Amino acid sequence: MKDSFSQTLNQLCSAARLAGIDNTVTTILTKPQREAISWLPLMTDKGLKMVRAYRVQYNNALGPYKGGIRYHHEVDINEVRMLALLMTIKNALFKLPLGGGKGGIVINPKTLTKKELKQLSQLYVQSLYPMFGPDKDIPAPDVYTNEQIIDWMSNEFNKLSGKLTPTAFTGKSLKNKGIQGREEATGLGGFYTLLELTKKLKKRPRETTIAIQGFGNVGYHFAIAVYKAGYKIIAVSDSKGGILDKRKRGMNPRHIKQDKLKKGLIGGCYCIGSVCDCFNYQAISNKKLLELPVDILVPAALGGSINKGNVLHIKARAILEMANGAINYDAYSKLEKKKITVVPDILANAGGVIVSYFEYQQNLKNEKWTKTKVFSLLEKRIKDTLADIWSLHQKKRCTLRTAAWILALQILAPKIKQR
Ligand code: NAD
């Protein structure tokens, strides 16, 4: 994704202009404060493999850098920069005392054994150790990383520092001082924004159709929440393709997951136990899923899935941008012209970093928060911020994305200026 960073800079500059942000501040925000590129010597069963790794510390005017680590064979420095800038803006939007950062390792984790994955995660921390810590930079999981990987990293950090520091990483497992509800947090945050959006669109959940691209941590937990609330999930996909419910009755994500676990992919049949319906359901490609005439389209996989090439074929009424940078800047104006409402990534997927911040607080105070507490605090933060964005969007007659960026910049800019 070569131009993903420059596309996000376009968004930054246009929102900064509208918000009347000082040029000096905007210029500072066009560059990350620090970037590290490291080569990790991974000893695999087939011999030594040198693996490229990144950490971008974008801006820490509001607090220590914070952002996930992605394992993907196509991740590049531009994408990590873009994601780190988005974290900076997202944390400011939600008034979290955190800066923005992001990391990546250029690897297809599906090709590694568990032992190799552990070694790679430990090497990442060893190599970039001086950059990390609760007052410096606090990593978390992202695409193809999970609580197991974060536990390995957190334990490696403790080993190197010679003391237990649970606040150095978030997204840890419960047995390693993680927080209840972190796994569901991003999907659930998206669900809370969807509830509000559905009200604004004057639709009832049971008459709202949804298509979801991506069935990992974010897509799956989002699907579970919307299914429970009565929305009709009519298509779901992962990297290998997906399934479409031709009758639009709605599918249970748990059934899709069980079938995926059995077959290794989301097939064209809808199976409950051993009974499969292959007549009313069919296989659908990722490309076709994005072009379905649904009420809500949810890209929850990788960045750039809606771009110049396919934007004219998008027929959804609204888009909930769960994946970071799912919609290219160029495609945005076309969606606007088509009057497609877009809930931007920095709002729709903020549940992850908000609950990560709760985990950090829980660890600082050495407490154990309940799921009920976590989810009710999360819901309030999302609803309050959405209300602020919505009112600015109406006042300035700008998109929700621009309104969200303006609000974030208004919080961030004075802190940068102060410095
Ligand atoms: P994940 O690794 O758990 O799942 C990724 C999913 O995307 C998988 O189902 C995979 O099969 C699918 N996928 C990969 N390539 C695809 C392709 N080309 N087409 C369709 N599907 C594809 O990752 P995740 O944590 O669910 O993250 C998804 C998105 O949400 C990312 O953009 C991430 O940055 C963003 N996000 C995640 C979190 C979090 O807490 N995990 C927080 C904020 C934002």
Side-chain angles (χ1 to χ4, degrees):
M1 285 233 299
K2 253 187 169 162
D3 67 345
S4 58
F5 180 56
S6 61
Q7 295 254 337
T8 312
L9 289 183
N10 288 341
Q11 176 65 55
L12 165 74
C13 295
S14 81
R17 255 193 318 275
L18 272 174
I21 301 294
D22 190 306
N23 267 341
T24 329
V25 171
T26 312
T27 308
I28 285 173
L29 275 174
T30 59
K31 301 276 182 238
Q33 288 173 324
R34 191 173 302 116
E35 296 181 342
I37 299 181
S38 198
W39 286 94
L40 310 177
L42 178 69
M43 196 48 89
T44 71
D45 291 345
K46 293 178 201 131
L48 180 67
K49 185 178 165 74
M50 298 302 287
V51 181
R52 205 166 161 71
Y54 307 110
R55 186 74 189 168
V56 173
Q57 296 183 326
Y58 206 93
N59 190 283
N60 65 353
L62 295 179
Y65 306 100
K66 177 100 194 79
I69 300 166
R70 172 173 296 202
Y71 287 9
H72 198 275
H73 56 288
E74 282 175 351
V75 71
D76 62 29
I77 188 70
N78 264 307
E79 188 173 15
V80 183
R81 272 184 203 132
M82 181 271 284
L83 293 165
L85 169 56
L86 285 180
M87 287 306 298
T88 308
I89 300 298
K90 196 184 306 179
N91 292 336
L93 175 65
F94 281 87
K95 304 185 181 83
L96 300 174
L98 297 168
K102 204 80 182 189
I105 302 188
V106 190
I107 192 87
N108 178 353
K110 293 175 189 169
T111 62
L112 298 184
T113 63
K114 190 171 175 187
K115 205 172 118 205
E116 290 162 353
L117 211 50
K118 180 176 180 181
Q119 190 201 142
L120 186 67
S121 309
Q122 291 169 330
L123 284 169
Y124 186 77
V125 177
Q126 287 165 19
S127 153
L128 301 171
Y129 172 71
M131 294 175 84
F132 297 139
D135 305 319
K136 297 183 196 165
D137 186 349
I138 310 158
D142 189 65
V143 174
Y144 295 147
T145 50
N146 55 19
E147 61 177 33
Q148 170 65 82
I149 287 175
I150 295 297
D151 278 359
W152 287 328
M153 290 187 171
S154 160
N155 292 341
E156 191 61 22
F157 183 87
N158 291 339
K159 205 168 97 189
L160 293 169
S161 64
K163 57 179 192 278
L164 281 180
T165 314
T167 43
F169 285 80
T170 62
K172 305 178 293 294
S173 69
L174 283 178
K175 65 176 182 343
N176 202 21
K177 293 192 178 287
I179 193 165
Q180 302 263 9
R182 174 61 183 87
E183 201 190 317
E184 302 96 313
T186 310
L188 207 59
F191 168 65
Y192 295 142
T193 58
L194 175 69
L195 283 179
E196 296 303 297
L197 177 69
T198 321
K199 280 188 221 154
K200 309 264 184 220
L201 296 177
K202 301 199 176 11
K203 293 277 283 184
R204 275 185 292 204
R206 66 190 149 81
E207 46 188 46
T208 306
T209 55
I210 300 189
I212 307 171
Q213 184 200 46
F215 203 54
N217 172 286
V218 176
Y220 177 68
H221 289 292
F222 173 79
I224 291 286
V226 300
Y227 174 75
K228 273 193 204 154
Y231 291 86
K232 302 276 176 266
I233 302 172
I234 65 150
V236 165
S237 70
D238 67 8
S239 59
K240 295 181 187 142
I243 181 170
L244 169 70
D245 170 2
K246 287 193 270 182
R247 289 184 299 181
K248 300 188 178 175
R249 291 199 178 163
M251 298 177 284
N252 181 341
R254 280 190 209 283
H255 295 158
I256 300 174
K257 185 156 185 184
Q258 276 158 11
D259 195 44
K260 175 179 161 156
L261 288 175
K262 247 195 250 162
K263 296 186 195 145
L265 79 169
I266 299 176
C269 300
Y270 184 64
C271 302
I272 303 175
S274 59
V275 182
C276 291
D277 181 346
C278 308
F279 183 73
N280 293 301
Y281 301 85
Q282 69 179 49
I284 186 166
S285 67
N286 269 298
K287 181 174 174 290
K288 286 280 172 220
L289 179 141
L290 294 172
E291 297 171 5
L292 288 171
V294 284
D295 292 306
I296 315 280
L297 174 64
V298 185
L302 301 176
S305 58
I306 299 173
N307 48 52
K308 268 200 290 199
N310 65 1
V311 66
L312 294 176
H313 304 290
I314 304 292
K315 298 175 202 77
R317 203 169 158 205
I319 301 176
L320 193 65
E321 193 184 15
M322 294 296 290
N324 282 309
I327 304 170
N328 280 358
Y329 182 77
D330 293 343
Y332 238 90
S333 53
K334 303 241 167 33
L335 293 174
E336 215 185 329
K337 274 193 198 128
K338 288 171 80 165
K339 304 227 175 315
I340 297 176
T341 305
V342 176
V343 178
D345 48 6
I346 55 171
L347 167 63
N349 71 26
V353 71
I354 295 170
V355 174
S356 271
Y357 176 63
F358 296 162
E359 181 178 337
Y360 175 78
Q361 288 285 312
Q362 173 196 263
N363 292 154
L364 267 184
K365 297 175 188 162
N366 201 17
E367 294 174 348
K368 274 191 183 161
W369 294 16
T370 63
K371 232 182 210 188
T372 315
K373 173 174 173 173
V374 170
F375 291 165
S376 68
L377 287 173
L378 172 64
E379 185 171 7
K380 183 169 170 13
R381 288 227 180 202
I382 298 266
K383 287 192 171 168
D384 289 352
T385 306
L386 177 55
D388 291 345
I389 294 173
W390 200 273
S391 89
L392 188 68
H393 144 76
Q394 291 191 314
K395 196 169 135 201
K396 285 217 178 252
R397 293 173 180 274
C398 61
T399 62
L400 291 171
R401 172 134 103 168
T402 300
W405 275 72
I406 290 176
L407 286 175
L409 288 171
Q410 284 169 343
I411 289 165
L412 192 57
K415 289 281 179 189
I416 293 179
K417 245 188 142 180
Q418 227 172 42
R419 285 186 164 189

